[in-house]
Protein backbone atom coordinates (compact mmCIF):
# COMPACT_ATOMS: atom_id res chain seq x y z
CA UNK A 1 0.00 0.00 0.00
CA UNK A 2 1.51 3.30 -1.12
CA UNK A 3 1.26 6.00 1.56
CA UNK A 4 1.69 9.77 1.38
CA UNK A 5 2.31 11.41 4.77
CA UNK A 6 1.51 15.05 5.54
CA UNK A 7 2.80 16.85 8.64
CA UNK A 8 4.89 19.76 9.84
CA UNK A 9 5.75 20.15 13.60
CA UNK A 10 7.60 17.93 16.07
CA UNK A 11 4.34 16.15 16.91
CA UNK A 12 4.21 14.81 13.34
CA UNK A 13 7.73 13.34 13.37
CA UNK A 14 7.11 10.38 15.68
CA UNK A 15 4.16 8.88 13.74
CA UNK A 16 6.23 9.14 10.56
CA UNK A 17 9.18 7.47 12.27
CA UNK A 18 6.94 4.65 13.46
CA UNK A 19 5.51 4.08 9.99
CA UNK A 20 8.99 3.82 8.48
CA UNK A 21 10.37 1.66 11.30
CA UNK A 22 7.47 -0.76 10.85
CA UNK A 23 8.12 -1.13 7.15
CA UNK A 24 5.19 0.76 5.71
CA UNK A 25 5.61 1.96 2.14
CA UNK A 26 5.77 5.74 2.52
CA UNK A 27 6.35 7.09 -0.99
CA UNK A 28 5.94 10.80 -0.34
CA UNK A 29 6.08 13.35 2.46
CA UNK A 30 4.30 16.72 2.30
CA UNK A 31 5.31 19.49 4.68
CA UNK A 32 5.18 23.28 4.90
CA UNK A 33 7.68 25.44 2.98
CA UNK A 34 10.79 26.52 4.85
CA UNK A 35 10.07 29.43 7.19
CA UNK A 36 11.97 32.71 6.94
CA UNK A 37 13.48 33.60 10.33
CA UNK A 38 16.02 36.03 11.71
CA UNK A 39 16.01 39.77 12.09
CA UNK A 40 15.99 40.33 8.35
CA UNK A 41 14.08 37.15 7.47
CA UNK A 42 17.09 36.07 5.46
CA UNK A 43 17.46 32.59 6.98
CA UNK A 44 15.23 29.70 5.98
CA UNK A 45 14.31 27.18 8.67
CA UNK A 46 12.95 23.77 7.59
CA UNK A 47 10.04 22.21 9.44
CA UNK A 48 10.77 19.42 11.96
CA UNK A 49 9.34 16.91 9.49
CA UNK A 50 11.72 18.12 6.76
CA UNK A 51 14.64 18.02 9.22
CA UNK A 52 13.77 14.39 9.94
CA UNK A 53 13.56 13.69 6.20
CA UNK A 54 17.03 15.12 5.66
CA UNK A 55 18.59 13.49 8.75
CA UNK A 56 17.26 10.08 7.77
CA UNK A 57 18.39 10.49 4.12
CA UNK A 58 14.91 9.53 2.98
CA UNK A 59 15.52 10.91 -0.51
CA UNK A 60 18.07 8.13 -1.00
CA UNK A 61 15.31 5.64 -0.15
CA UNK A 62 13.15 6.96 -2.97
CA UNK A 63 10.77 8.98 -0.81
CA UNK A 64 9.78 12.26 -2.41
CA UNK A 65 9.45 15.50 -0.41
CA UNK A 66 6.97 18.18 -1.48
CA UNK A 67 6.59 21.64 0.09
CA UNK A 68 3.69 23.37 -1.66
CA UNK A 69 2.87 27.00 -1.07
CA UNK A 70 -0.69 26.43 -2.29
CA UNK A 71 -2.44 23.08 -2.10
CA UNK A 72 -4.56 23.79 -5.18
CA UNK A 73 -1.54 24.64 -7.33
CA UNK A 74 -1.70 22.43 -10.43
CA UNK A 75 2.03 21.66 -10.37
CA UNK A 76 1.74 20.36 -6.82
CA UNK A 77 -1.39 18.35 -7.65
CA UNK A 78 0.39 16.77 -10.59
CA UNK A 79 3.34 15.82 -8.36
CA UNK A 80 0.92 14.39 -5.80
CA UNK A 81 -0.94 12.35 -8.43
CA UNK A 82 2.37 10.97 -9.69
CA UNK A 83 2.97 9.37 -6.29
CA UNK A 84 -0.08 7.15 -6.90
CA UNK A 85 -0.91 6.95 -3.21
CA UNK A 86 -3.43 4.40 -2.00
CA UNK A 87 -3.77 6.22 1.33
CA UNK A 88 -2.89 9.64 2.73
CA UNK A 89 -2.21 10.36 6.41
CA UNK A 90 -2.42 13.84 7.93
CA UNK A 91 -0.81 14.68 11.29
CA UNK A 92 -0.69 18.37 12.30
CA UNK A 93 -0.52 19.77 8.80
CA UNK A 94 -3.15 22.17 7.43
CA UNK A 95 -6.66 22.11 6.05
CA UNK A 96 -6.79 20.18 2.77
CA UNK A 97 -8.97 20.98 -0.23
CA UNK A 98 -11.19 18.18 -1.50
CA UNK A 99 -9.07 17.74 -4.61
CA UNK A 100 -6.27 16.59 -2.27
CA UNK A 101 -8.07 14.56 0.40
CA UNK A 102 -10.29 12.77 -2.10
CA UNK A 103 -7.40 11.71 -4.33
CA UNK A 104 -6.33 8.29 -2.95
CA UNK A 105 -8.72 5.31 -3.36
CA UNK A 106 -8.48 4.33 0.32
CA UNK A 107 -9.06 7.90 1.48
CA UNK A 108 -7.21 10.34 3.72
CA UNK A 109 -7.29 10.08 7.48
CA UNK A 110 -6.25 12.58 10.12
CA UNK A 111 -4.89 12.14 13.65
CA UNK A 112 -6.69 14.56 15.99
CA UNK A 113 -5.51 15.21 19.55
CA UNK A 114 -8.91 14.95 21.22
CA UNK A 115 -11.79 12.55 21.63
CA UNK A 116 -13.95 13.69 18.74
CA UNK A 117 -16.57 15.02 18.40
CA UNK A 118 -15.32 17.02 21.40
CA UNK A 119 -12.78 19.76 20.72
CA UNK A 120 -12.97 20.20 17.00
CA UNK A 121 -10.52 22.93 16.09
CA UNK A 122 -6.90 24.03 16.16
CA UNK A 123 -5.95 23.77 19.86
CA UNK A 124 -7.66 20.73 21.44
CA UNK A 125 -4.91 19.87 23.93
CA UNK A 126 -4.89 23.38 25.39
CA UNK A 127 -8.65 23.71 25.73
CA UNK A 128 -9.14 20.30 27.35
CA UNK A 129 -6.82 21.34 30.20
CA UNK A 130 -8.14 24.91 30.39
CA UNK A 131 -11.66 23.50 30.79
CA UNK A 132 -10.54 21.20 33.61
CA UNK A 133 -11.22 17.92 31.78
CA UNK A 134 -10.08 14.74 33.49
CA UNK A 135 -9.59 12.77 30.27
CA UNK A 136 -8.42 13.31 26.72
CA UNK A 137 -7.11 11.17 23.89
CA UNK A 138 -6.49 10.81 20.18
CA UNK A 139 -8.80 10.04 17.27
CA UNK A 140 -8.22 8.90 13.72
CA UNK A 141 -10.94 9.87 11.27
CA UNK A 142 -11.48 10.15 7.53
CA UNK A 143 -11.44 13.68 6.14
CA UNK A 144 -14.57 15.08 4.54
CA UNK A 145 -15.93 18.50 3.58
CA UNK A 146 -16.17 20.01 7.07
CA UNK A 147 -13.36 20.48 9.59
CA UNK A 148 -12.91 17.60 12.07
CA UNK A 149 -16.31 16.08 11.34
CA UNK A 150 -15.42 12.94 9.34
CA UNK A 151 -16.19 9.34 10.21
CA UNK A 152 -14.26 8.09 13.23
CA UNK A 153 -11.99 5.08 12.74
CA UNK A 154 -10.29 4.59 16.13
CA UNK A 155 -9.73 6.32 19.49
CA UNK A 156 -7.37 5.96 22.46
CA UNK A 157 -7.90 7.57 25.86
CA UNK A 158 -5.67 8.84 28.65
CA UNK A 159 -6.33 10.65 31.95
CA UNK A 160 -5.38 14.28 32.46
CA UNK A 161 -3.70 14.43 35.85
CA UNK A 162 -4.09 17.36 38.23
CA UNK A 163 -0.54 18.57 37.59
CA UNK A 164 -0.34 17.91 33.83
CA UNK A 165 0.40 20.88 31.62
CA UNK A 166 0.01 20.99 27.86
CA UNK A 167 3.60 19.84 27.32
CA UNK A 168 2.91 16.67 29.33
CA UNK A 169 -0.23 15.98 27.32
CA UNK A 170 1.51 16.80 24.03
CA UNK A 171 4.25 14.23 24.67
CA UNK A 172 1.81 11.56 25.87
CA UNK A 173 -0.57 12.02 22.95
CA UNK A 174 2.34 12.05 20.49
CA UNK A 175 3.28 8.50 21.52
CA UNK A 176 -0.33 7.34 21.78
CA UNK A 177 -1.10 8.93 18.44
CA UNK A 178 1.82 7.18 16.77
CA UNK A 179 0.49 3.82 17.95
CA UNK A 180 -3.02 4.68 16.81
CA UNK A 181 -1.78 5.69 13.36
CA UNK A 182 -0.07 2.31 13.01
CA UNK A 183 -3.20 0.44 14.14
CA UNK A 184 -5.35 2.45 11.76
CA UNK A 185 -3.06 1.88 8.77
CA UNK A 186 -2.89 -1.84 9.55
CA UNK A 187 -6.69 -2.10 9.69
CA UNK A 188 -7.12 -0.16 6.44
CA UNK A 189 -4.55 -2.32 4.69
CA UNK A 190 -6.19 -5.52 5.93
CA UNK A 191 -9.66 -4.27 5.02
CA UNK A 192 -10.91 -4.51 8.62
CA UNK A 193 -11.20 -0.78 9.37
CA UNK A 194 -14.69 0.28 10.36
CA UNK A 195 -15.60 3.95 10.49
CA UNK A 196 -18.70 5.39 12.12
CA UNK A 197 -20.34 8.83 11.95
CA UNK A 198 -19.44 11.19 14.78
CA UNK A 199 -23.12 11.52 15.62
CA UNK A 200 -22.91 8.08 17.22
CA UNK A 201 -20.46 9.51 19.79
CA UNK A 202 -22.73 12.34 20.88
CA UNK A 203 -23.98 12.35 24.46
CA UNK A 204 -25.95 14.76 26.65
CA UNK A 205 -22.66 16.57 27.27
CA UNK A 206 -22.50 19.80 25.26
CA UNK A 207 -19.91 20.00 22.51
CA UNK A 208 -16.85 22.05 23.37
CA UNK A 209 -14.69 23.61 20.69
CA UNK A 210 -10.96 24.27 20.39
CA UNK A 211 -10.45 27.52 18.50
CA UNK A 212 -7.02 28.83 17.62
CA UNK A 213 -5.25 30.59 20.48
CA UNK A 214 -3.96 34.15 20.13
CA UNK A 215 -2.02 36.38 22.53
CA UNK A 216 -5.17 38.04 23.80
CA UNK A 217 -6.62 34.58 24.51
CA UNK A 218 -3.77 33.96 26.93
CA UNK A 219 -4.34 36.91 29.28
CA UNK A 220 -5.21 35.70 32.77
CA UNK A 221 -8.55 36.70 34.26
CA UNK A 222 -7.87 36.82 38.00
CA UNK A 223 -11.59 37.06 38.76
CA UNK A 224 -12.19 33.59 37.27
CA UNK A 225 -11.59 31.67 40.50
CA UNK A 226 -8.87 29.43 41.89
CA UNK A 227 -9.53 26.28 39.85
CA UNK A 228 -10.13 28.14 36.60
CA UNK A 229 -6.96 30.24 36.84
CA UNK A 230 -4.88 27.20 37.82
CA UNK A 231 -6.19 25.21 34.83
CA UNK A 232 -5.76 28.19 32.51
CA UNK A 233 -2.06 28.50 33.34
CA UNK A 234 -1.24 24.80 32.90
CA UNK A 235 -3.36 24.62 29.74
CA UNK A 236 -1.04 27.19 28.13
CA UNK A 237 2.27 26.06 29.63
CA UNK A 238 4.92 26.16 28.32
CA UNK A 239 3.58 27.48 25.04
CA UNK A 240 2.16 29.96 24.20
CA UNK A 241 2.04 30.73 27.98
CA UNK A 242 -0.52 32.55 30.08
CA UNK A 243 0.38 36.16 30.84
CA UNK A 244 -0.66 39.18 32.83
CA UNK A 245 0.50 42.77 33.20
CA UNK A 246 2.24 43.48 36.52
CA UNK A 247 1.35 47.03 37.54
CA UNK A 248 3.45 48.79 40.18
CA UNK A 249 2.17 51.56 42.51
CA UNK A 250 4.12 54.16 40.52
CA UNK A 251 2.28 53.18 37.33
CA UNK A 252 5.04 51.09 35.72
CA UNK A 253 3.80 48.04 33.83
CA UNK A 254 5.62 44.82 33.04
CA UNK A 255 4.23 41.86 31.11
CA UNK A 256 4.85 38.57 32.89
CA UNK A 257 4.34 35.04 31.56
CA UNK A 258 3.22 32.52 34.17
CA UNK A 259 4.24 28.89 33.65
CA UNK A 260 3.58 27.07 36.90
CA UNK A 261 1.37 27.73 39.90
CA UNK A 262 -0.06 26.03 42.97
CA UNK A 263 -3.44 26.59 44.58
CA UNK A 264 -4.05 27.94 48.06
CA UNK A 265 -7.73 27.73 48.85
CA UNK A 266 -8.62 30.01 51.74
CA UNK A 267 -10.79 32.96 52.66
CA UNK A 268 -9.46 36.28 51.41
CA UNK A 269 -9.87 39.70 52.96
CA UNK A 270 -12.56 41.63 51.06
CA UNK A 271 -10.12 44.54 50.97
CA UNK A 272 -7.90 42.57 48.58
CA UNK A 273 -9.11 42.73 44.99
CA UNK A 274 -8.51 39.88 42.51
CA UNK A 275 -5.08 40.35 40.95
CA UNK A 276 -3.54 41.92 44.07
CA UNK A 277 -0.02 40.62 44.71
CA UNK A 278 1.08 39.47 48.16
CA UNK A 279 4.89 39.05 48.30
CA UNK A 280 7.24 38.16 51.15
CA UNK A 281 10.62 38.28 49.40
CA UNK A 282 10.80 34.53 48.72
CA UNK A 283 7.50 33.89 46.99
CA UNK A 284 4.48 35.74 45.89
CA UNK A 285 0.87 34.89 45.43
CA UNK A 286 -2.02 36.51 43.61
CA UNK A 287 -5.48 37.07 45.01
CA UNK A 288 -8.43 35.32 43.35
CA UNK A 289 -11.99 35.32 44.71
CA UNK A 290 -11.63 32.02 46.58
CA UNK A 291 -7.98 32.01 47.62
CA UNK A 292 -4.49 32.61 46.26
CA UNK A 293 -2.64 31.48 43.16
CA UNK A 294 0.97 30.94 44.19
CA UNK A 295 3.25 31.74 41.25
CA UNK A 296 6.08 29.17 41.08
CA UNK A 297 7.66 29.84 37.67
CA UNK A 298 7.48 32.94 35.51
CA UNK A 299 9.19 34.95 32.82
CA UNK A 300 9.48 38.72 32.75
CA UNK A 301 9.61 40.35 29.32
CA UNK A 302 13.21 40.27 28.06
CA UNK A 303 14.33 37.68 30.62
CA UNK A 304 14.52 33.89 30.80
CA UNK A 305 11.97 31.64 32.44
CA UNK A 306 12.85 31.22 36.11
CA UNK A 307 11.65 30.11 39.51
CA UNK A 308 9.82 32.88 41.34
CA UNK A 309 12.34 32.71 44.20
CA UNK A 310 15.14 33.53 41.74
CA UNK A 311 13.12 36.38 40.25
CA UNK A 312 12.52 37.89 43.70
CA UNK A 313 16.24 37.96 44.50
CA UNK A 314 16.65 40.71 41.93
CA UNK A 315 13.26 42.35 42.07
CA UNK A 316 11.35 44.29 44.69
CA UNK A 317 7.57 43.94 44.77
CA UNK A 318 6.23 46.90 46.76
CA UNK A 319 2.87 46.88 48.51
CA UNK A 320 0.07 47.81 46.15
CA UNK A 321 1.49 45.92 43.19
CA UNK A 322 -1.17 44.05 41.24
CA UNK A 323 -1.76 41.99 38.14
CA UNK A 324 -4.35 43.09 35.62
Amino acid sequence: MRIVYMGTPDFAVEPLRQLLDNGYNVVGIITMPDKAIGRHHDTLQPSPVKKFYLEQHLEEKGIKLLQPEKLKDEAFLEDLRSLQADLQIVVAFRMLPEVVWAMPPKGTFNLHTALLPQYRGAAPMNWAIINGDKETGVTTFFLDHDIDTGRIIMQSRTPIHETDNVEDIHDRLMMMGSELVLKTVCAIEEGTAESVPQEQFLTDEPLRHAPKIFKETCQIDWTAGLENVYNFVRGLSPYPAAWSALVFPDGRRQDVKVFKTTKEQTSVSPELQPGSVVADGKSFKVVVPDGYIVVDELQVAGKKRMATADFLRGARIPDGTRFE
Side-chain angles (χ1 to χ4, degrees):
M1 187 167 66
R2 295 172 65 84
I3 295 171
V4 165
Y5 185 88
M6 304 182 184
T8 294
D10 288 320
F11 189 92
V13 173
E14 189 60 29
L16 175 58
R17 186 196 311 275
Q18 293 289 344
L19 285 166
L20 295 170
D21 288 350
N22 283 272
Y24 284 101
N25 184 28
V26 178
V27 297
I29 295 171
I30 319 296
T31 192
M32 291 288 283
D34 295 358
K35 185 178 181 180
I37 61 170
R39 184 175 179 181
H40 301 290
H41 298 279
D42 54 359
T43 302
L44 292 178
Q45 182 182 63
S47 73
V49 163
K50 182 178 178 179
K51 287 180 184 177
F52 175 78
Y53 177 88
L54 297 173
E55 291 166 359
Q56 299 298 312
H57 306 288
L58 297 183
E59 184 178 14
E60 298 173 10
K61 298 178 182 179
I63 300 175
K64 191 167 184 178
L65 179 74
L66 299 176
Q67 295 179 271
E69 290 279 355
K70 298 180 180 178
L71 295 178
K72 291 184 179 180
D73 181 76
E74 191 53 44
F76 163 67
L77 293 174
E78 190 56 39
D79 285 339
L80 188 58
R81 290 188 193 100
S82 72
L83 296 175
Q84 298 181 314
D86 299 300
L87 175 70
Q88 292 176 159
I89 301 170
V90 180
V91 180
F93 185 50
R94 56 201 277 197
M95 197 169 80
L96 302 183
E98 182 176 359
V99 67
V100 173
W101 59 256
M103 192 177 294
K106 293 185 182 295
T108 299
F109 79 80
N110 182 73
L111 175 69
H112 189 71
T113 50
L115 297 171
L116 290 173
Q118 293 291 356
Y119 294 112
R120 294 168 177 160
M125 289 184 281
N126 302 94
W127 287 108
I129 300 174
I130 289 170
N131 289 336
D133 288 7
K134 304 301 181 186
E135 184 181 55
T136 187
V138 283
T139 302
T140 51
F141 69 98
F142 284 115
L143 295 187
D144 66 9
H145 293 92
D146 297 315
I147 299 173
D148 298 337
T149 60
R151 294 172 66 91
I152 290 174
I153 311 168
M154 294 182 180
Q155 290 187 328
S156 292
R157 297 171 177 266
T158 185
I160 300 176
H161 304 297
E162 171 75 8
T163 57
D164 282 338
N165 64 19
V166 76
E167 184 174 45
D168 299 322
I169 295 301
H170 172 281
D171 293 349
R172 196 179 309 153
L173 294 189
M174 180 175 66
M175 301 310 297
M176 287 179 58
S178 300
E179 294 174 8
L180 197 67
V181 165
L182 290 181
K183 289 170 65 176
T184 301
V185 172
C186 181
I188 291 172
E189 188 168 44
E190 293 176 354
T192 60
E194 295 183 2
S195 61
V196 298
Q198 291 192 23
E199 289 73 21
Q200 293 190 20
F201 288 77
L202 293 174
T203 66
D204 293 335
E205 187 178 4
L207 285 181
R208 295 182 297 279
H209 298 280
K212 189 174 181 179
I213 289 173
F214 300 94
K215 182 181 179 182
E216 55 268 26
T217 314
C218 302
Q219 186 170 7
I220 300 169
D221 176 8
W222 299 102
T223 68
L226 192 67
E227 196 69 28
N228 289 333
V229 174
Y230 175 77
N231 291 337
F232 188 79
V233 169
R234 66 193 183 102
L236 296 169
S237 179
Y239 182 83
W243 68 276
S244 190
L246 191 62
V247 182
F248 296 92
D250 62 5
R252 287 182 299 119
R253 299 172 65 92
Q254 192 171 44
D255 284 352
V256 176
K257 291 182 177 179
V258 181
F259 293 96
K260 186 177 180 182
T261 67
T262 50
K263 296 176 289 185
E264 186 177 315
Q265 189 164 13
T266 184
S267 58
V268 179
S269 169
E271 297 177 0
L272 293 175
Q273 296 298 311
S276 299
V277 173
V278 179
D280 63 6
K282 294 183 180 179
S283 65
F284 75 79
K285 51 192 181 182
V286 187
V287 176
V288 293
D290 49 345
Y292 296 95
I293 289 288
V294 182
V295 178
D296 299 316
E297 292 183 18
L298 52 74
Q299 182 179 12
V300 176
K303 303 289 185 180
K304 294 182 179 179
R305 175 178 173 175
M306 66 183 78
T308 301
D310 294 332
F311 165 71
L312 290 173
R313 289 192 187 100
R316 192 177 75 85
I317 308 296
D319 292 342
T321 300
R322 69 186 190 281
F323 274 120
E324 65 174 37

